[in-house]
Structure formats: structure tokens, C-alpha cells
Amino acid sequence: MTSIESNIPPVSKVTLQYITTSITTIGLMLNSLVIFGIFKSRKLRSLPDLYFNINLSMTDLLLCILWILTQTYNLDCNMTGFLLYLLLACSVFNLLSIAFIHFHSIMFEKTINNRITIWILIGMIWLISLCGSILGYRLSKHGFILQPSELYCLNDFTLQGSIITFFNYGIVLTLIGTPILLTLIYFIIWKKLNHHEIYVPSNRISLRHSKIKIVNAKVLIVRRAMALSLGFAIVYYFQATIFVYQIKTGKFIDWIYDAIGATLVSLNTIVYPITFLALDLRCRQAIFDFFGFIHGQSTNSNTSDAYTGQ
């Protein structure tokens, strides 16, 4: 495993591993709840963006598992760096795809009903992410390396050269541009809802449409935009600043700043599930109904046993 010189104290390293592992463990549970809620809710199962929501949650779920395994076992740095690139890129592109589906559904009042088209789009997301991971590995002189905080592996952002610098700045622009693009998309949607009485797709994939209250729609759109855009910005902007510093100076940043950036990035695994569970009543209701059903069955069983005992 290739690494750089780091003066991180052992106690600090263990503490950072504990914090980030705790965050990703919470992310593991939240993303599992989102997937479970989608499958249990008949209304959510019929939404056009169903597959993208599941794909995003599954990607974050795998990211949580990878992070936990990385902190628990001494895994190969090239393998973990490659998978980290792949899953993070897929998570970002999934998030953008969901926003574009909302944009297409409301602005053009049409839904993407063709499942083949949806699967092709999801396949393209994974293919683009895979190509980015391969390119990042091939451009790195020594492959992926252990970063100053010793929490994760990534390519060497201090390498100088036109191609590698262009690639690294591409990563930075993606991290900076994503929340801006999300905000712009949802702002355009909000303007459409604000000035026009429109029909939006119902919870069915069929061509049937149902009229909803514009005020409620605007509130939901604004909340989603604020939660996703601000959450993404908080999570990634600090890390993007670190990458820019290393690209410009050709030096690795101190481990403490890299540790802060890594901790913020680990929050990426809980931003979307928290937003989804907080704003989507159908998902929460499906989860509550299921656990309420289990509780009711347990109560009835205990009552029956007590009655039989008497």
C-alpha cells in the first residue's frame, strides 16, 4: 500500500476512525430504511424516479459498507480508492439524474415511462463513473495512495502535469458545480409552479395525471432544493478546497484538515436518506405501518398466550 508521510497521532487516528465509522453506520441504517420504505410503499413503487432512488440508496449503502471495511481491515489501497471513486461518482450522478427527472416531469408535464430507457440511463451512470475511476487510477503515478488523515485512499492531487491537473480540476468543478446546478434546476421548477397552473404526474407510471395544490408543491420543491443543495455544499466544498490547495501548491495538506474533509464527506451517506425520509410522507408511513403491524402482531400474540395460560 502506497502512502505519504503523516504525523497523525495514533489516538487521533483511532478517534477519527470511530467518528467516521459511526457516521457511515448511521448512513447504512438510514439508506436501508429508504430502500425498505420504497419497496413497502405501493405509491413509491410506481414513481418514475423509483429506480434512481433505489440506485442512489444502494450506492450510498455500498459506500457505507466500503468505508466501514476500510476502517476495520487493512484493505488494498488501489482497490478501495477505485471503489471509492466509483461509488462517489455514481452517487453524485444519481442525484443529478433525479433532479433532471423532476425537471422533465414538471416542465414538460411528461414522465419517463419506458423502463428500458430508465435502465439505459442507470447503466450510463455506472459506465461514466467506472470510466472516471479507471482514468483516475491510470493517471496517478503510483496508483491510489493513502491520504494524510489515513482514513481513505485517493489519487495524488499534488502531481503536476497537464492531463492529471485537468482531471483533478474536473473533479473539483464537479463538486462545486453540483449544488449550484441542483439549486438552478429546482429554482426553475419553482418558477414554473409559481406562475402556471399545471398538472403534474400522479403516483402511477400510467398517463393518468392528478392536480395537486400548487402551494404545497412549491413548498416541497423549495425544501428539497435547500436540503440537497446545502447538504451537498457543506459536505463537499471543504474537500474541494483541499484538492485545489494540493493541486496549486504541489504539497499535501496537514492531516487535521484532511480529516475534517473526510469526516464531512462521510456525511454524504446520510444527507439524501435524511432528506428523503424527512420530506416524503409516503416512505415514512410505509415504515411506520410495517413496524406498527409487527408491534400489533406481537401484542396480539402476547395477549393470546396470556389468555391461554389463564
Side-chain angles (χ1 to χ4, degrees):
M1 178 183 294
T2 306
S3 61
I4 62 175
E5 293 295 329
S6 177
N7 58 351
I8 177 173
V11 176
S12 299
K13 181 179 178 180
V14 173
T15 303
L16 288 171
Q17 289 176 340
Y18 176 79
I19 293 173
T20 53
T21 302
S22 300
I23 293 172
T24 48
T25 301
I26 295 173
L28 186 68
M29 294 185 291
L30 290 177
N31 282 286
S32 299
L33 280 177
V34 169
I35 296 172
F36 176 79
I38 290 175
F39 279 111
K40 291 299 294 184
S41 173
R42 183 175 300 177
K43 294 180 180 180
L44 286 175
R45 288 203 306 270
S46 61
L47 287 176
D49 58 358
L50 159 73
Y51 300 99
F52 292 95
N53 284 319
I54 293 177
N55 194 37
L56 177 57
S57 295
M58 285 296 298
T59 302
D60 288 344
L61 193 69
L62 293 173
L63 190 60
C64 292
I65 295 174
L66 175 65
W67 192 279
I68 293 172
L69 291 177
T70 302
Q71 305 308 313
T72 306
Y73 302 101
N74 188 25
L75 300 178
D76 180 68
C77 207
N78 284 324
M79 180 187 70
T80 56
F82 182 86
L83 292 175
L84 186 63
Y85 253 129
L86 174 64
L87 295 174
L88 285 175
C90 190
S91 179
V92 171
F93 292 141
N94 261 295
L95 198 59
L96 289 172
S97 298
I98 292 172
F100 277 116
I101 286 178
H102 294 159
F103 179 85
H104 183 271
S105 299
I106 294 179
M107 298 300 294
F108 301 102
E109 302 179 24
K110 295 179 180 179
T111 57
I112 302 177
N113 299 319
N114 193 325
R115 285 182 171 84
I116 296 178
T117 303
I118 293 174
W119 282 111
I120 290 175
L121 292 174
I122 292 176
M124 289 177 60
I125 289 174
W126 282 97
L127 180 61
I128 294 173
S129 302
L130 179 62
C131 291
S133 299
I134 295 174
L135 186 61
Y137 174 76
R138 297 296 297 175
L139 291 177
S140 298
K141 185 177 181 180
H142 303 292
F144 295 112
I145 62 173
L146 197 62
Q147 298 299 302
S149 62
E150 299 186 6
L151 291 174
Y152 63 105
C153 296
L154 218 57
N155 69 302
D156 190 348
F157 283 89
T158 65
L159 289 177
Q160 301 299 313
S162 57
I163 298 179
I164 185 65
T165 301
F166 177 80
F167 176 78
N168 288 335
Y169 271 122
I171 296 175
V172 172
L173 289 176
T174 301
L175 297 180
I176 295 175
T178 297
I180 297 175
L181 187 57
L182 286 173
T183 303
L184 179 62
I185 290 172
Y186 284 109
F187 177 75
I188 294 174
I189 294 174
W190 180 83
K191 293 288 287 185
K192 172 77 172 182
L193 293 173
N194 192 42
H195 291 92
H196 299 281
E197 192 78 7
I198 66 169
Y199 287 89
V200 298
S202 67
N203 293 329
R204 301 288 179 182
I205 293 183
S206 64
L207 296 178
R208 291 182 301 168
H209 290 71
S210 61
K211 195 173 183 180
I212 66 169
K213 293 181 179 179
I214 301 302
V215 174
N216 293 338
K218 286 192 295 185
V219 170
L220 181 61
I221 291 298
V222 171
R223 285 179 179 177
R224 184 186 291 270
M226 289 178 60
L228 293 180
S229 302
L230 292 178
F232 196 97
I234 292 172
V235 166
Y236 281 109
Y237 272 14
F238 188 83
Q239 191 69 41
T241 304
I242 291 176
F243 290 160
V244 171
Y245 170 83
Q246 295 182 150
I247 294 170
K248 295 291 289 183
T249 63
K251 300 177 181 179
F252 287 103
I253 202 164
D254 191 67
W255 69 268
I256 185 64
Y257 300 108
D258 186 61
I260 295 173
T263 304
L264 289 174
V265 169
S266 67
L267 291 172
N268 172 66
T269 59
I270 66 175
V271 169
Y272 183 75
I274 288 178
T275 303
F276 194 91
L277 292 171
L279 297 181
D280 202 299
L281 178 61
R282 295 159 297 184
C283 186
R284 296 201 310 271
Q285 190 62 48
I287 296 172
F288 292 152
D289 288 346
F290 176 77
F291 286 106
F293 172 77
I294 293 179
H295 178 71
Q297 290 284 4
S298 176
T299 303
N300 292 337
S301 176
N302 293 334
T303 303
S304 178
D305 290 343
Y307 180 77
T308 303
Q310 289 178 353

